Amino acid sequence: MHYEYKTHGTCSSKIAFDLNDDNTIHNIVFTGGCPGNLAAIPKILEGWNADEIVSRLAGNDCRGRGTSCADQLTKAIVEAQKKMKE
């Protein structure tokens, strides 16, 4: 399932990715934000289990904002998992 998420509280404005039936994440694309970091995150996480991504990155903070692009990715994954179960 392809999923797009509008981010909140970050420099990036959107995250898109594919969540497969085996709960793996593919083709992560961040729109906006820090180019180096947001190009690296998709390369590192390609093919990872969605639950593992959430457990490792949830709550990651950027400059005291209470969230980060990585944290927003976890929120997007949880939302996508819920939609997939519907």
Side-chain angles (χ1 to χ4, degrees):
M1 170 181 89
H2 184 75
Y3 192 74
E4 294 188 5
Y5 179 82
K6 183 178 178 346
T7 59
H8 306 281
T10 61
C11 297
S12 66
S13 59
K14 181 174 75 172
I15 305 169
F17 58 89
D18 297 324
L19 175 61
N20 290 351
D21 291 336
D22 65 356
N23 203 39
T24 57
I25 300 291
H26 298 275
N27 306 314
I28 303 168
V29 176
F30 288 87
T31 301
C34 305
N37 291 334
L38 299 181
I41 289 172
K43 289 178 183 178
I44 294 167
L45 299 180
E46 176 64 26
W48 274 34
N49 178 278
D51 296 329
E52 182 70 17
I53 294 171
V54 171
S55 74
R56 288 183 183 233
L57 299 180
N60 188 60
D61 182 65
C62 180
R63 299 180 181 170
R65 294 179 181 177
T67 193
S68 66
C69 293
D71 181 57
Q72 289 291 295
L73 175 61
T74 69
K75 293 178 184 323
I77 290 169
V78 169
E79 242 184 52
Q81 287 174 317
K82 287 179 184 173
K83 286 202 180 271
M84 198 165 194
K85 289 178 183 176
E86 292 177 354

